[in-house]
Amino acid sequence: MKSPRFDLVILDWDGTVADSTGIIVDAVISAAEGAGVIAPPRALILKTLGLGLNQLLLKLFPHLSSELLEKVAEGYRSHYHANEGNSYLFDGVKEGIERLYQHKCKLAVATGKSRKGLKFALQDTELNRYFLSTKTVDECFSKPHPHMVEAILEETQIPANRAVIVGDTHYDLEMGKNAHIQTIAVTYGAQPKEVLLSYEPLACFDSFNEVVDFLLS
C-alpha cells in the first residue's frame, strides 16, 4: 500500500464534509428578521462562512448593539438546531474518509461550529470513529487564526510539513497559511474557485473524490 502524501488530513466541516451552507444562510436571514433588522444578501453571508458565529455576526451586522447581536445569535442557534439534521454529506465523503483511514491517514476536524454542533454532526453522520482530533470555536480562536491547526498538530504530534487542511473558504486557506501547513481547496462549498485560487492552495478540486485520489496518489 502506497503511503499517502500527508500523515494528517484536517477537514473543515460545513461546506467541505457536509452540505450545510444553505442551512447556515437561512438561519442568519431568519435570525435577522426575527430580531427586526435587515437581513444581509445571501451572497454576502456566503463570504463569511467559515467564521465562528460571533465573528460571522460581527462582520454581517457591524453597527448593531451588543443586545441586538445577542438576539440575532439566539435566533440563529434556534433556527440552525431545528434544521441541522437536514444537512447531508457531500458525494463521496463517507467513502473517501474510509479510504484515507484505511491508508493510515490521521484525520482531524477544524470547524467554526460549536462543540455541541460538531458532536451532533459526528454522531448523526456516524463519522466519530475516524477522527483523532476535533477542534471548534468553543475551545480555539476562530479562523483564520492558526490556533485550531496548532492545537491539532500538538495533540497528534504530527509536524506541520506532514499536514494539510481541506476547506471550501478562504478562511480555511488563510488558517492553513498562518499555521504553515499546506492547503487544498474545494469548489463545491461556499466560495467560488477564483476566490479560492487567489489564496494559492496546493490544489483545488471540484469533488471530494478528487481530493482523496490526490492525497493517495
Side-chain angles (χ1 to χ4, degrees), residues 10 18 22 32 41 47 71 78 80 87 102 104 129 155 178:
I10 303 171
K47 290 180 180 179
K71 188 173 181 180
S78 176
Y80 185 86
S87 68
Q102 292 299 327
K104 310 302 181 187
R129 68 185 184 92
E155 185 173 345
N178 291 339

Side-chain angles (χ1 to χ4, degrees), residues 4-21:
R5 287 177 184 258
F6 296 95
D7 298 327
L8 173 66
V9 178
I10 303 171
L11 299 174
D12 165 60
W13 191 270
D14 294 313
T16 300
V17 170
D19 187 7
S20 43
T21 55

